[in-house]
Amino acid sequence: MTDKNSSSLMEKVISLSKQRGFVFQSSEIYGGLKSAYDYGPLGVELKRNIMNEWWRSMVHEREDVIGIDASIIMHTNVWHASGHLAGFSDPLVDCLISKERFRADKAPRPVSGDELPIECLDKGQAKSYLEVIKKRFNIELKRNGKVLLGMRVIDENNIGFFEDDNEKPSATFPYRGYVSPKFGSPFLSDERQFNLMFRSQIGPIDVLGDITSFVEKNKDLDNKEMRTGIEDIVKKSAVYLRPETAQAMFVQFLNCQQSMSMKVPFGIAQMGKSFRNEVTVEHFIFRSCEFEQMEMEFFVEPGTQKEWLNYWRDKRIDWWKKLANNPDKFRYRAHETDELAHYADACYDIEYEYPWGFDELEGVASRTDYDLKKHSEHSGAKLSYFDQQKQDPETGKNGWRYTPYVIEPAAGVTRGLLVYLLDAYHEEIVPNADGKDSSRVVMKLHPRLAPIKVAVLPLVKKEGLPEIARDMVSNFFKAGINARYDEQHSIGKRYRRHDEAGTPYCITIDGQTKEDQTVTIRNRDTMEQERIPKEDALLIIQKRLMES
Ligand code: GAP
């Protein structure tokens, strides 16, 4: 894929995802829900294969990591202790002209002397915004097509309206240091904190009834008091959908460690759904409100966290690269101090070069002993570890009780799925049956990730060929290999369809099969075909999948 094509790569992948059944817009027939996606017949297989590969490398192949599957709804005190109820929020701002709502910390920040053009969608919108600004702020900006001109940043606290290119502003307004991302408007509301967790109510409590009675009884309260009163009623039965899978591993630290007699260093891993009421959902499935994570909390001795952080950073980036066609598109980046989360003393982002540039795929954080200590404080449980073999560094006595430090590789499943779709998409010019150039789209998914491992295609739908093909498919299933019987359309069309599905091997049953018990096996990437004994097909596919 050339650079010229890369800007449309995203559109091509989105379109192929729908056509071939990888990803659909949620509730599409009702106009769609922008922040949610459904994984179709191929998508669900791809997603599970990514998760299975992660589980294999993070849990099954390691003696020092165990797994759990915790509930999505947890005790509300978990979120008090972790800081999510107090701090898991974004600063939100509204544009007073366009009503655009955005995150202040992600907004563009023009500096002193910069022009502040308001870029409207079309002339009609520009005329209507011109009127609103005139009415509300008593200034008349100049319109050039769909752009409104005349404002400039004076300093970090003020913007000015400069009429007819005058040197002195004829009006000044307070400047927040940023403008709205879509229109470039500096006319903004105050910032409000917005909690990213989805709230629900648990139990047979009539919250609306309780609120109604409270409002009726307290009509004299001012707005703030009324809000606090209502908030108190809601909080009594409030529960939250987890915004990360991580907290369960801290809360179940003792149960896991004791039930499996684990010795530090060891890890607890989990994969599953997380939910965030994201203000900005963007780039297809890159950022959505419902997504899936694969996280592991690795508990280490205090003082060893730096070496373990580097260890997991390298392990994790190697894992992503191993399953990709273009390993050069992955890199890691250390967080600056001001980027670090409140619980972390260091962090790396594993990034991928998406069509819009390098962006996060996985975080590998050194979370210190923050979470275990917080949950100990809030619950009263002693979330610590006793190492009989070590001396306590403070007392010098044998045996050391300490709160382990934590290294956390936290990856997004659905974001990973997007990465592997982008990585797999290839367009090629290849000769067709007549030897003429034709283009083919092929999803070069790693065979371990491919939704269908092998398609079995009878050349014609008669002469006993379908029976032979179905028999072979059933043998693949018995061996745990996802195979697919496919008899629709010409053989050429079927090959192309499976190229787009990312199926690494197609086995064709033809007239010769009945004569000499051989079949052809076609390789997705090279398109080469070889004739093999029918009875060897299973072993050959098994071997190729294992060696891939
Ligand atoms: N426990 C730490 C944690 O959750 P995070 O960086 O917020 O850290 C980890 O999330 C990973 O989860 C991200 O690197 C990303 O791959 C994925 N992720 C986070 N928010 C997401 C969203 N709204 N949509 C899709 N994936 C998301």
Side-chain angles (χ1 to χ4, degrees):
M1 174 114 333
T2 61
D3 279 352
K4 206 173 141 213
N5 288 334
S6 67
S7 58
S8 57
L9 172 62
M10 195 73 176
E11 285 87 67
K12 287 176 179 171
V13 164
I14 293 172
S15 151
L16 180 130
S17 290
K18 182 176 170 177
Q19 258 175 355
R20 282 284 152 253
F22 282 101
V23 186
F24 305 130
Q25 181 69 67
S26 162
S27 323
E28 191 184 291
I29 59 167
Y30 289 103
L33 185 65
K34 203 168 159 245
S35 51
Y37 292 90
D38 295 343
Y39 292 82
L42 295 188
V44 61
E45 302 287 343
L46 175 56
K47 186 146 70 81
R48 282 187 189 164
N49 290 344
I50 294 172
M51 293 168 91
N52 288 342
E53 280 303 306
W54 185 86
W55 196 256
R56 194 161 65 84
S57 89
M58 297 295 275
V59 183
H60 286 172
E61 288 180 357
R62 298 192 63 105
E63 288 177 15
D64 56 358
V65 180
I66 48 181
I68 58 165
D69 184 13
S71 54
I72 286 172
I73 298 173
M74 300 173 76
H75 196 293
T76 302
N77 284 351
V78 170
W79 309 116
H80 280 295
S82 66
H84 282 89
L85 268 173
F88 193 58
S89 53
D90 285 340
L92 275 198
V93 179
D94 291 321
C95 166
L96 300 175
I97 312 302
S98 66
K99 307 291 172 225
E100 177 187 2
R101 179 166 293 176
F102 62 94
R103 280 175 62 170
D105 57 334
K106 300 267 181 197
R109 295 177 173 267
V111 292
S112 302
D114 284 355
E115 300 284 342
L116 295 175
I118 297 183
E119 314 247 3
C120 305
L121 294 178
D122 50 42
K123 275 190 206 168
Q125 190 180 56
K127 282 181 190 164
S128 106
Y129 285 1
L130 196 74
E131 280 305 308
V132 178
I133 293 170
K134 194 170 151 191
K135 232 180 186 167
R136 223 164 147 178
F137 300 98
N138 205 21
I139 54 171
E140 190 155 3
L141 296 176
K142 213 153 92 187
R143 186 176 67 80
N144 183 1
K146 56 181 188 173
V147 184
L148 304 182
L149 299 163
M151 285 190 299
R152 205 185 307 150
V153 181
I154 298 175
D155 57 37
E156 57 191 23
N157 297 315
N158 296 289
I159 52 175
F161 168 52
F162 296 84
E163 222 166 350
D164 301 327
D165 296 332
N166 286 346
E167 283 298 300
K168 277 200 164 166
S170 37
T172 58
F173 303 93
Y175 179 43
R176 293 186 192 289
Y178 50 83
V179 294
S180 73
K182 205 155 149 196
F183 297 99
S185 161
F187 298 114
L188 306 171
S189 72
D190 288 340
E191 286 178 19
R192 282 167 302 114
Q193 292 300 316
F194 169 83
N195 196 289
L196 294 184
M197 282 198 294
F198 281 100
R199 182 165 62 190
S200 188
Q201 308 298 132
I202 199 163
I205 294 159
D206 178 15
V207 183
L208 288 184
D210 292 350
I211 293 171
T212 312
S213 329
F214 175 81
V215 172
E216 266 170 14
K217 279 189 210 144
N218 296 282
K219 287 203 173 92
D220 301 337
L221 295 182
D222 66 22
N223 272 354
K224 204 168 162 209
E225 289 166 330
M226 186 68 88
R227 194 187 159 92
T228 311
I230 294 173
E231 199 69 71
D232 287 344
I233 296 168
V234 173
K235 270 185 199 160
K236 277 188 205 147
S237 58
V239 284
Y240 298 87
L241 301 188
R242 68 181 178 202
E244 60 172 16
T245 58
Q247 292 305 319
M249 277 85 97
F250 300 122
V251 172
Q252 294 293 4
F253 167 76
L254 279 187
N255 279 336
C256 288
Q257 188 261 321
Q258 289 169 359
S259 61
M260 299 296 281
S261 308
M262 299 305 284
K263 289 195 169 19
V264 169
F266 78 94
I268 309 176
Q270 173 166 222
M271 314 184 286
K273 295 255 183 190
S274 292
F275 302 83
R276 294 182 193 174
N277 200 357
E278 298 278 6
V279 180
T280 320
V281 285
E282 56 183 351
H283 303 311
F284 190 35
I285 53 174
F286 176 79
R287 193 184 311 283
S288 46
C289 288
E290 177 177 341
F291 55 100
E292 260 167 286
Q293 291 185 306
M294 311 181 282
E295 298 196 285
M296 197 267 290
E297 308 304 317
F298 196 72
F299 301 95
V300 304
E301 197 182 295
T304 63
Q305 66 268 28
K306 196 157 183 254
E307 67 191 75
W308 280 113
L309 177 67
N310 292 348
Y311 170 87
W312 281 111
R313 174 199 67 196
D314 296 345
K315 272 262 164 218
R316 292 301 308 140
I317 196 165
D318 287 350
W319 183 85
W320 288 109
K321 285 180 176 183
K322 208 181 68 196
L323 295 167
N325 294 290
N326 300 297
D328 294 349
K329 286 193 166 243
F330 297 81
R331 71 174 189 194
Y332 60 73
R333 182 183 68 79
H335 274 210
E336 302 291 338
T337 318
D338 60 359
E339 265 183 284
L340 288 174
H342 59 282
Y343 49 71
D345 65 2
C347 184
Y348 286 96
D349 274 353
I350 294 176
E351 298 186 328
Y352 178 73
E353 193 175 8
Y354 300 89
W356 60 93
F358 275 100
D359 211 334
E360 183 183 340
L361 167 61
E362 169 164 359
V364 185
S366 172
R367 282 184 86 125
T368 67
D369 53 1
Y370 178 88
D371 301 89
L372 286 181
K373 280 208 163 135
K374 282 283 169 200
H375 287 301
S376 290
E377 270 167 44
H378 280 73
S379 67
K382 221 173 180 181
L383 302 181
S384 59
Y385 177 77
F386 185 68
D387 190 338
Q388 283 175 329
Q389 314 297 324
K390 290 268 159 71
Q391 272 189 352
D392 187 321
E394 275 177 23
T395 63
K397 289 190 182 150
N398 281 346
W400 181 20
R401 179 168 290 285
Y402 61 82
T403 305
Y405 271 49
V406 173
I407 305 301
E408 175 193 70
V413 179
T414 37
R415 201 172 283 186
L417 189 143
L418 172 62
V419 162
Y420 284 131
L421 286 178
L422 290 165
D423 174 76
Y425 188 93
H426 285 73
E427 282 173 10
E428 293 175 352
I429 302 294
V430 292
N432 63 15
D434 309 325
K436 294 203 179 114
D437 279 355
S438 71
S439 68
R440 79 159 181 157
V441 170
V442 51
M443 293 298 281
K444 293 191 178 174
L445 287 165
H446 193 286
R448 284 184 184 280
L449 300 186
I452 300 166
K453 308 297 180 200
V454 54
V456 186
L457 322 171
L459 192 61
V460 288
K461 292 189 213 172
K462 51 189 182 186
E463 294 158 16
L465 304 191
E467 288 75 12
I468 300 173
R470 285 204 166 96
D471 192 42
M472 188 177 266
V473 167
S474 116
N475 280 337
F476 278 120
F477 281 134
K478 280 184 201 143
I481 293 173
N482 190 21
R484 185 150 185 93
Y485 174 83
D486 190 349
E487 61 174 26
Q488 294 302 328
H489 303 118
S490 72
I491 194 74
K493 276 195 180 154
R494 278 181 270 172
Y495 284 153
R496 290 296 157 88
R497 188 160 63 230
H498 281 284
D499 285 345
E500 291 187 8
T503 309
Y505 305 106
C506 285
I507 289 179
T508 304
I509 316 291
D510 54 18
Q512 200 178 323
T513 309
K514 278 176 50 186
E515 286 165 24
D516 63 5
Q517 305 299 305
T518 61
V519 295
T520 61
I521 176 165
R522 175 186 182 266
N523 180 302
R524 175 196 69 196
D525 298 343
T526 62
M527 297 194 300
E528 273 166 19
Q529 298 189 27
E530 54 187 308
R531 200 160 260 285
I532 56 160
K534 181 166 73 84
E535 63 185 31
D536 291 353
L538 176 58
L539 269 178
I540 289 174
I541 296 287
Q542 264 174 334
K543 192 160 175 278
R544 290 187 188 174
L545 288 175
M546 262 183 69
E547 285 169 359
S548 61

